[in-house]
Amino acid sequence: MSATSRPRVLVVDDENLIRVWLEAHLAEAGYDIALAADRQAARQAFTSHAPDAVLLDLRLPDGSGMDLLREFLDADPDLIAVMLSAHGDITTAVEAVKLGAYHFLEKPPKLEDIVVTLQKG
């Protein structure tokens, strides 16, 4: 990413309201956003968008976000991956971080928590 380009974030969540809300607010905060509702769309967006960071839902309609986390980090070890879940527990959060997730946030996430996490990442 060049110094003049906007950081690219891929938002992967099956809930349309979450995607739209994050897209609007993160774009306003200076990020270039791509959206995906499932694993297949996420893989396509990851390849075409080349994100600097990904906000990744734990549960997707076609499988686990943890599997995508592994795939994405294998492809780009420098990726800032933030897991989101309404169904998270400590064990899952620890597993995600051990796999390489930068952070684990519970849904609904607070916008300021997401922005701060992305900035620190």
Side-chain angles (χ1 to χ4, degrees), residues 13 18 25 39 43 46 69 71 87 119:
D13 199 301
I18 296 279
H25 291 289
R39 290 179 354 155
R43 286 181 183 111
F46 184 82
L69 174 66
E71 287 178 39
H87 311 284
Q119 288 172 345

Side-chain angles (χ1 to χ4, degrees), residues 5 11 29-30 38 47 72 77-78 94 99 102 108 121:
S5 67
V11 175
D38 57 36
T47 302
F72 290 170
D78 296 327
V94 169
L99 287 174
Y102 180 75

Side-chain angles (χ1 to χ4, degrees), residues 19-32:
R19 287 193 314 273
V20 170
W21 180 77
L22 285 170
E23 178 183 31
H25 291 289
L26 292 176
E28 190 176 285
Y31 295 93
D32 178 23

Side-chain angles (χ1 to χ4, degrees), residues 10-19 22 35-38 42 55-61 84-85 107 109:
L10 171 58
V11 175
V12 182
D13 199 301
D14 61 330
E15 294 180 51
N16 186 53
L17 289 176
I18 296 279
R19 287 193 314 273
L22 285 170
L35 302 175
D38 57 36
L55 299 175
L56 182 57
D57 192 5
L58 183 63
R59 292 187 183 175
L60 297 167
L84 301 173
S85 180
K107 285 173 149 182

Side-chain angles (χ1 to χ4, degrees), residues 35-108:
L35 302 175
D38 57 36
R39 290 179 354 155
Q40 181 178 351
R43 286 181 183 111
Q44 292 170 345
F46 184 82
T47 302
S48 64
H49 193 67
D52 301 300
V54 62
L55 299 175
L56 182 57
D57 192 5
L58 183 63
R59 292 187 183 175
L60 297 167
D62 56 350
S64 168
M66 289 288 228
D67 294 337
L68 277 181
L69 174 66
R70 285 182 193 95
E71 287 178 39
F72 290 170
L73 289 173
D74 283 348
D76 181 0
D78 296 327
L79 180 71
I80 303 304
V82 179
M83 299 299 293
L84 301 173
S85 180
H87 311 284
D89 58 41
I90 296 297
T91 304
T92 305
V94 169
E95 180 184 354
V97 171
K98 282 183 178 179
L99 287 174
Y102 180 75
H103 203 16
F104 191 99
L105 297 173
E106 287 191 45
K107 285 173 149 182

